[in-house]
Amino acid sequence: MDGDRNPQAFARWSYGADRLPGSLDELAGPVTGTVELPLHLAWSGLRAFDLGNTKLLLGMYRIVLNNGLRDDFVAYLDGDLLVAHWPILRKMLGRGVRTVWEDTFAELREAGSA
């Protein structure tokens, strides 16, 4: 049965550094306004997030970090906002997600230990 599985079909569910951008500078998502996430990211519950509301911003970032792929990170996350909110965000993420991001980006590791 394992021979019938397509390894690429499961790649979306494995969380490795290969799904991250090369640099936090690539994260060029919006910093203001309301963002509506597509169904492949937010398939249940709230889909529109007012970035001026910190709780909603954190909720959106949690969804994107947990469910997104590289193109989603680039489109919906902002590098400066990610670093600024990382001390709280890291507590909202599973260990696997948090570890991959902190192991890849020293800025997040430093923000998380501050």
Side-chain angles (χ1 to χ4, degrees), residues 81-103:
L81 285 178
L82 181 63
V83 172
H85 291 287
W86 189 253
I88 295 170
L89 274 169
R90 69 185 308 276
K91 297 173 187 174
M92 300 169 67
L93 302 170
R95 179 179 294 167
V97 174
R98 179 178 61 242
T99 300
V100 168
W101 281 85
E102 289 182 347
D103 285 353

Side-chain angles (χ1 to χ4, degrees), residues 24-104:
L24 293 181
D25 292 336
E26 292 179 42
L27 303 179
V31 295
T32 61
T34 299
V35 175
E36 185 167 340
L37 293 179
L39 284 172
H40 75 272
L41 290 175
W43 57 86
S44 174
L46 188 64
R47 290 188 50 219
F49 300 86
D50 175 0
L51 299 184
N53 180 317
T54 301
K55 285 184 182 181
L56 292 177
L57 179 136
L58 291 171
M60 185 192 91
Y61 271 52
R62 181 185 56 79
I63 290 169
V64 174
L65 288 163
N66 281 321
N67 302 326
L69 297 173
R70 185 187 181 288
D71 289 346
D72 300 313
F73 303 143
V74 170
Y76 296 106
L77 303 179
D78 173 79
D80 291 335
L81 285 178
L82 181 63
V83 172
H85 291 287
W86 189 253
I88 295 170
L89 274 169
R90 69 185 308 276
K91 297 173 187 174
M92 300 169 67
L93 302 170
R95 179 179 294 167
V97 174
R98 179 178 61 242
T99 300
V100 168
W101 281 85
E102 289 182 347
D103 285 353
T104 304

